[in-house]
Amino acid sequence: MSVMLVSEQLLNALQYGVMLFLIASGLTLVLGIMNTLNLAHGALFMLAAYLAVATYGMTHSFVAAAAGAVAGVAAVAAALEVLVMRQLYERDHLDQVLASFGLLLLLTEAAPMLWGRASLEMPAPAALAGSVAVGTLRYPAYRLFVTGAGLLIAAMMYWAIHHTRIGIQIRAGATNRTMLACCGVNVRKLFFLVFCAGAALAGAAGLLVSPLVAVDASMGDAILTLCFVIVAIGGLGSVRGAFVAALAVGFVDTFGRAFLPSVLGFPLGPAVASVGVYAFMAAVLIWRPRGLFPVRI
């Protein structure tokens, strides 16, 4: 096991964890503040990737693709919140699961109807197409850009949640939304903003990952499962917990898939690697049943 290989996997794990955080942070806000299960969150991530590819194909501009993906997904989320999700806030979780699963199926089937069933690809920006030196390692410049962009968004989220009025309301809503309403805050408006912001974060992740993977209608399914794992590990409603848990899941998954097959052999190695994240979640929840950083009530 060479030092360069370990270093490369460390950078891959960091990039993967940051991408997972962008998706899971929106999901944990919706779950923690709105007490709403939204199974369509992964489909919004998928839709953003399609919108990025489509916009890039028309404009050949990564900036335009970014605007199209994030703004387009936020607009779709706004329509879904008004037409569907708003009717579910006071319903039980079974109704939320059934309705959001219907939205998941709708979006998953709509994407191939609009863009075809073949996988799509989007090139990385020309300025980031090569590799850069990280110590003695040559690493793809675009992957470093994804990591830096994700960390910048995470820092902006931390500042917004801890140093702005809307952030105070979000943290209060995660603790006791009934008391928040009694203090005169328009909870419905807050819910709308949180839902759209969560979708925009998923849109940012879809944009950033589109030059790295094949874009197809099933790409949001596995991501959604991992996001629920991250929410459970980090603590419901905790953005800090989502960040720490996403990085941990990124490292466990990346290193497991990279090294366990060679250590344990076939087929045991790949099998253990595929369940490593869930074993990690089980261990964390046995130790801290409410997650690493639960919101204090």
Side-chain angles (χ1 to χ4, degrees), residues 34 74 77-79 81-82 86 89 187-197:
M34 301 159 64
E81 200 277 340
V82 172
R86 185 171 294 182
Y89 294 150
V187 175
R188 176 164 290 188
K189 180 179 178 182
L190 180 66
F191 281 9
F192 177 80
L193 292 174
V194 168
F195 191 83
C196 292

Side-chain angles (χ1 to χ4, degrees), residues 82-296:
V82 172
L83 297 175
V84 180
M85 302 305 296
R86 185 171 294 182
Q87 325 306 322
L88 301 172
Y89 294 150
E90 303 303 326
R91 307 284 289 271
D92 60 31
H93 285 162
L94 178 59
D95 292 338
Q96 296 169 3
V97 167
L98 291 175
S100 60
F101 185 68
L103 292 176
L104 168 65
L105 294 178
L106 174 64
L107 294 174
T108 302
E109 289 302 317
M113 292 174 63
L114 292 172
W115 292 289
R117 296 196 176 275
S119 297
L120 303 181
E121 296 180 354
M122 186 176 87
L128 301 171
S131 61
V132 296
V134 181
T136 58
L137 174 69
R138 300 293 301 183
Y139 195 74
Y142 182 75
R143 286 185 177 271
L144 285 179
F145 169 77
V146 171
T147 302
L151 291 175
L152 177 61
I153 294 173
M156 292 170 63
M157 283 186 63
Y158 178 85
W159 176 83
I161 289 175
H162 290 86
H163 297 92
T164 65
R165 185 176 183 83
I166 188 69
I168 293 173
Q169 294 175 1
I170 288 173
R171 286 187 287 128
T175 302
N176 192 325
R177 63 176 179 173
T178 302
M179 183 61 69
L180 183 65
C182 292
C183 293
V185 175
N186 188 331
V187 175
R188 176 164 290 188
K189 180 179 178 182
L190 180 66
F191 281 9
F192 177 80
L193 292 174
V194 168
F195 191 83
C196 292
L201 289 168
L207 162 75
L208 292 172
V209 79
S210 53
L212 299 176
V213 301
V215 175
D216 59 45
S218 64
M219 64 186 297
D221 297 342
I223 287 292
L224 181 64
T225 303
L226 283 178
C227 287
F228 277 112
V229 169
I230 289 167
V231 170
I233 293 174
L236 190 61
S238 172
V239 176
R240 177 179 61 165
F243 182 75
V244 174
L247 292 183
V249 167
F251 278 88
V252 170
D253 189 65
T254 300
F255 275 82
R257 295 182 186 278
F259 298 118
L260 283 181
S262 61
V263 173
L264 300 179
F266 184 85
L268 181 59
V272 174
S274 65
V275 300
V277 169
Y278 307 104
F280 174 68
M281 177 186 69
V284 171
L285 294 182
I286 290 172
W287 171 46
R288 295 180 68 87
R290 294 181 59 213
L292 295 175
F293 300 98
V295 174
R296 292 182 173 85

